[in-house]
Amino acid sequence: MNTLGPSPHPFEVSATADPGYHNSLPLLHEIAHALRLLRLKGTTTTLDLSAIPFGPGDERLLLECLGRGEVSAKLEALGDSHIWESAYPGVWVIEHRNSCGERIAFQVEITRLPSILETRLEDIEEGLLALQRALANLQTDKSV
Amino acid sequence: MADLTTGTLGDTLRRNGVSRRGFLKFCTATASMMALPPSMVPVLAAALDNAQRPSVIWLSFQECTGCTESLTRSHTPTLESLIFDHISLDYHHTLQVASGHAAEAAREAAMQASAGKYLLVVDGSIPLGNPGFSTIAGVSNLQILEETAAGAAAVIAMGSCAAFGGLPKADPNPTGAVAVRDIVTDKPVINVSGCPPIPVVITGVLAHYLTFGTLPELDQYSRPKAFYGTSIHDRCYRRPFYDKGLFANTFDDEGAKKGWCLYKLGCKGPMTYNACATVKWNEGTSWPVESGHGCLGCSQPDFWDAGGFYNALSIPVGDISRTASYAVAAGVALGAAAAGINRKTKTEANRQHSTVTVDDLEKTS
Amino acid sequence: MSKATLERGLNAFREQVDAPVAAFFSSCVSCGICAEACLFYTETGDPKYTPIRKLEPLRRVWEQEYTLVGKLKKVVGLAAPVTDELLQEWQELLYDSCTLCGRCSMVCPVGNDIAYMVRRAREGMVASGNSPKDVQAAAERAVRIGSPMGIKYKALAAQVKHIEADSGLTIPIDVEGADYMPLLSSMEVINFPEYIESLARIFTHAGLSWTLCSEAFEATNTGIQIGSSDIARELVQRIVDGAEKLKVKYVIAPECGHAYTSIRWEGPDLIGKPFPFKVLHILELLDELRASGRIKTENPSHERMTFHDPCSIGRKGGVIDAPRRLMQMVNSNFVEMQDHGKWNWCCGGGGGVSANTEAEALRLKVFKRKKNQIEETGADKLVTACANCRLVIEEGLEEYRVELPIEGLTELVARHLVEDK
Amino acid sequence: MNESMDFLLWTRGTAFDVAVAIFVVGILIRLFEIISLGRAANLAAPKGSEFLPGMKTILTRTLPEGGTFKRQPLTILAGYLFHIGLLVSLLLFIPHIELFRETFGFGWPGLPNPIVDAAAVLGIVGLLAALWNRLTNPVMKLLSDKEDYLVWVLTFLPLLTGYLAYHRMINPYPLAMGLHILSIELLLVLFPFTKLMHTFTLFLARWYNGAMSGRRGVES
């Protein structure tokens, strides 16, 4: 299945060699700018990477530069999503895949916590109900 | 497929056990696909949750089934499938089990049941030269299209054949092929051009229609701007080479190996509007320019007749070298004639010269 | 008696269009740069004097007779015709305000030789009867009497006698087999007889065999000035006949601009065959004698002197370095004008303008340019090599109340010759 | 229906062929018309040769004489600006070179696009300055006739449409490209029959000028 590894290309591209295009570089600057905004005003920013015309190697270069931080999460809904904090706290990488493992969205979110990880209020309500039901069941069992 | 039970998309999704995070993830992906800003995700989520289930009829005329292939291949169960699971594809003669009169009956049933509300998707061009060139169940394409379009809310012309006439219309257009827009003039027609078109585009159009109940913003060719708003050239990762003047001159030279611009090798990127450079093909693996071949311009009208695929865009369609040679020959002949006339005028003037003497200096009054 | 008519004029224009003219008109993009080279524009600021515009009649004939589009325009009636009124209006532009100085031809970015075309356009003006009355009269005198100023050999003979008596020099007349035959301009005979004396002094000093020709002493050619090759031919032929009769080796053009053009450059073309003798300007001869050591000078003057290049001799004749070498020989304080040599500004009286009283006011006005040029040098004396320039400058300076002596270069050289050889 | 694409194909096809044919035929007719008028033989003994001085003048007239520059700086600057801008854009833009390669069978190296782009801007600025000069300078104003303004428009349009097409300021692109090509076709068709001919005849004119001066021993 398609993973983050480099895909085979008809010509060689390495992150260190200068292939002449670096759409990842301006993007890194944009990330730094967004991070500054987050610190100063608390503004969160979402960058949609699929809207950026990456050349071969660009994505690898970007991910190599961002690195991996200490938090990593996996969301299992309509396929697996991977969410991890980069080596730079506050910069998160979010990769949504469908149940076939195909990538359907790829984002960098500059935030304290990606919203997709937060629990929805409706889910909390439903969860509370479910928990209460479970507790009631437990008590019923005891009393019996 | 003929399940006509009504319900919102949210219902469908929840019935399929999709969680709220899953739904949000789906909305994120949809917004990204539709080139909507991330801030639109909550709006999209609310709208999609309540989206009604539309009926879709799919007609195929003079086509190669490449469009259907593009749409259906390897994309189950995917984002597209979520949408397609939700819509009611009531007639698609390539995909459906039913055939012949049974299939036509299904189409007519759907047309009646959702009159004025169903979406009509068409792939392939319509031959006007002779109705017999392309028929389904003995009915000409033109007649089917006119009948089916009459009750449609909107028509989606899928692929360059339906959108612009495509390959069947290529010079000398033996079947008299025309595009959907040439026939359907009283309904919104959305062109999703490309040979084949990028599958997510049709998903995007459907998502937009489901979300907002309207058709997306269209360009001059009635194509959704979200996908056709920028040229291949402007989104091409090889664009910096074009700007620096670094070009591949052959498919195997240093420039080609280094991934330089393919303009000189006939890339039609500058005049072609499509989303290939960002959406890419085959699960986002690559796209023509990335794999080392120039863009053919397949999402543009008449791309087949727009000069050689391997001629630079600035090169005229005809054989300009030959034209110039003929013109030189003609120019020399006509020039010689003009020269002859001038010499005659001058010789005649010299002949008519009457010597000026000091007696001739004053004017005759 | 035939008369000048529009028809004859148009035919003459047709005759005058040749490949260079066609190339020039095809190339003009109306940039107006030629105006900046023309003293009639720079001194008046009137754009009607823009050199290329002076050629409108010839341009129309070229366009309507020799180009496809022009012929089409004529057929459908879109072409502006050349009419008598147009030619009348253009007479001032082609005669009064053009000295054929050729400065415009030097600056045109596309290389148009505008003076060449003005010379040709005048052929049509003459044939259509649109040439200045004064120049017509001068031409008549030149043809009928032998000199535009109306002097005859008798007058020259008297001057010669006078000079011989005064100086003790011999001035040979009609000596067959002499090497050099100098020509004179009638101005020199009347206004500047010093020139004749200087010639005698120089030829004697150098020990050269020379002679004047009683039948062909007049060098000026009103045919060239008015722009009629037919008249010019007749006048050139007289000189050729005289030179052939005396079997001279060299004909020496005098200190006169257009005379050099007519005898040196146009002459052989006018009579249709190369000359059997060589033509030299007097300055060219003097420079050759200087180089070969045949003439020796002494006591160079320390006065601050400047030199005015006559257009026909310098820019249009190629005699540019010779006068400088001669000036250095006899003057130790020689100073150049800012624009000199091929960039010299005209005195304003060439090309028949000085003979044309209708042009006088304009000529005096545009003289300002020359006056300023001379004044900028701070020179105490102006030297030149054209009797016409000399008269025009004298008149001009008088008009602007500037006192400055003027001398011909030949005289200046003659005055510095080593006495006893 | 597909107006702009049909338009582009027409401009790249039939129209281009027709324009090139008229251009070539027209240029040849004009050159024949000029040269057929001949030049009388010069019988006077020359002081210098004709050929080399003529060739030299072809080069030297590219630079203005100092005094002229001082008196007409705008005419000269605008002229340089637009001629250089035009020639760089025309001859050193890679897509144009590809067209020449297709036509003549050979090409030459081009310049990076930002440089060509800057040249085009200079060309446009130069042309605007030249127009302003033509409208305000009394000499040029008097000299100029309809044809002078026509050739200005004919020259301006390709630069303008080229610039707009390159920067995608006209949509859709095929329309922009079509307009650019059409403007060049217009230029090509009218070229031989207007003052635009100076592009070719100035070489003749300068040569004649230099040659006629050269034989008199003067450098022109």
Side-chain angles (χ1 to χ4, degrees), chain D:
Chain D
M1 54 171 259
N2 312 315
E3 303 84 4
S4 67
M5 197 66 195
D6 288 343
F7 172 63
L8 175 63
L9 288 182
W10 178 74
T11 57
R12 287 179 65 203
T14 319
F16 198 80
D17 278 337
V18 170
V20 166
I22 292 177
F23 176 75
V24 172
V25 170
I27 296 284
L28 286 168
I29 288 181
R30 284 299 303 274
L31 292 178
F32 272 88
E33 273 177 352
I34 293 168
I35 293 166
S36 66
L37 290 167
R39 191 159 71 104
N42 271 303
L43 300 170
K47 280 191 195 175
S49 68
E50 290 202 330
F51 182 73
L52 285 177
M55 298 308 277
K56 198 178 156 198
T57 300
I58 289 181
L59 294 178
T60 55
R61 283 297 164 102
T62 310
L63 295 171
E65 172 253 343
T68 309
F69 182 72
K70 262 181 247 153
R71 282 185 291 272
Q72 271 312 333
L74 183 58
T75 307
I76 306 231
L77 279 180
Y80 269 111
L81 216 56
F82 115 73
H83 275 104
I84 291 172
L86 186 72
L87 288 177
V88 168
S89 317
L90 172 68
L91 298 177
L92 297 175
F93 187 44
I94 303 275
H96 296 166
I97 297 171
E98 287 307 295
L99 171 61
F100 291 120
R101 193 194 306 282
E102 176 74 8
T103 311
F104 304 122
F106 61 89
W108 49 83
L111 284 176
N113 292 346
I115 298 177
V116 177
D117 188 32
V121 172
L122 290 184
I124 289 171
V125 169
L127 267 177
L128 289 171
L131 179 65
W132 188 78
N133 196 23
R134 199 173 275 291
L135 290 169
T136 54
N137 177 312
V139 169
M140 291 183 84
K141 205 171 147 188
L142 182 69
L143 282 185
S144 306
D145 58 7
K146 287 193 200 99
E147 195 186 321
D148 288 294
Y149 295 103
L150 172 70
V151 300
W152 185 90
V153 171
L154 290 178
T155 316
F156 187 69
L157 284 181
L159 267 173
L160 180 72
T161 55
Y163 183 83
L164 293 177
Y166 177 71
H167 289 280
R168 295 170 178 271
M169 291 156 94
I170 302 176
N171 277 311
Y173 183 74
L175 176 66
M177 181 80 170
L179 285 174
H180 179 54
I181 297 174
L182 184 68
S183 71
I184 285 144
E185 286 159 357
L186 210 59
L187 179 84
L188 288 176
V189 165
L190 291 173
F191 192 109
F193 311 108
T194 56
K195 295 173 179 219
L196 294 167
M197 263 308 277
H198 79 274
T199 313
F200 293 99
T201 57
L202 79 81
F203 294 99
L204 284 175
R206 285 181 182 179
W207 187 84
Y208 282 133
N209 188 315
M212 291 192 288
S213 290
R215 76 187 315 277
R216 293 175 182 215
V218 183
E219 279 188 14
S220 83

Side-chain angles (χ1 to χ4, degrees), chain B residues 48 57 78 143 151 157 170 219 227 235 242 255 261 288 313 364:
Chain B
L48 274 180
I57 295 176
T78 61
Q143 195 188 333
D219 74 354
F227 300 95
R235 307 238 76 180
Y242 173 84
C261 178
L313 188 56
T364 326

Side-chain angles (χ1 to χ4, degrees), chain B residues 125-263:
Chain B
S125 59
I126 302 97
L128 294 184
N130 179 335
F133 283 150
S134 176
T135 61
I136 296 162
V139 184
S140 77
N141 290 169
L142 177 65
Q143 195 188 333
I144 295 180
L145 178 61
E146 280 173 342
E147 279 172 22
T148 319
V155 183
I156 301 173
M158 186 63 179
S160 290
C161 294
F164 305 126
L167 209 50
K169 189 177 173 252
D171 190 46
N173 189 5
T175 64
V178 298
V180 171
R181 264 208 304 185
D182 295 326
I183 308 291
V184 182
T185 50
D186 57 346
K187 295 276 146 109
V189 175
I190 304 148
N191 284 331
V192 180
S193 63
C195 189
I198 297 174
V200 297
V201 179
I202 193 161
T203 323
V205 173
L206 288 173
H208 194 284
Y209 185 68
L210 292 175
T211 313
F212 303 110
T214 58
L215 297 171
E217 198 191 347
L218 304 178
D219 74 354
Q220 295 86 346
Y221 293 123
S222 304
R223 301 179 297 196
K225 269 194 179 162
F227 300 95
Y228 297 93
T230 328
S231 74
I232 294 288
H233 187 60
D234 286 345
R235 307 238 76 180
C236 181
Y237 74 92
R238 296 195 188 204
R239 176 63 185 268
F241 295 119
Y242 173 84
D243 288 334
K244 282 182 202 156
L246 298 173
F247 295 89
N249 289 307
T250 63
F251 283 108
D252 56 358
D253 70 356
E254 260 321 284
K257 284 175 191 153
K258 286 181 176 158
W260 289 354
C261 178
L262 300 165
Y263 183 93

Side-chain angles (χ1 to χ4, degrees), chain A residues 31-43:
Chain A
I31 290 170
H33 177 71
L35 201 54
R36 233 179 333 252
L37 269 184
L38 179 64
R39 190 179 70 88
L40 292 175
K41 298 181 185 167
T43 319

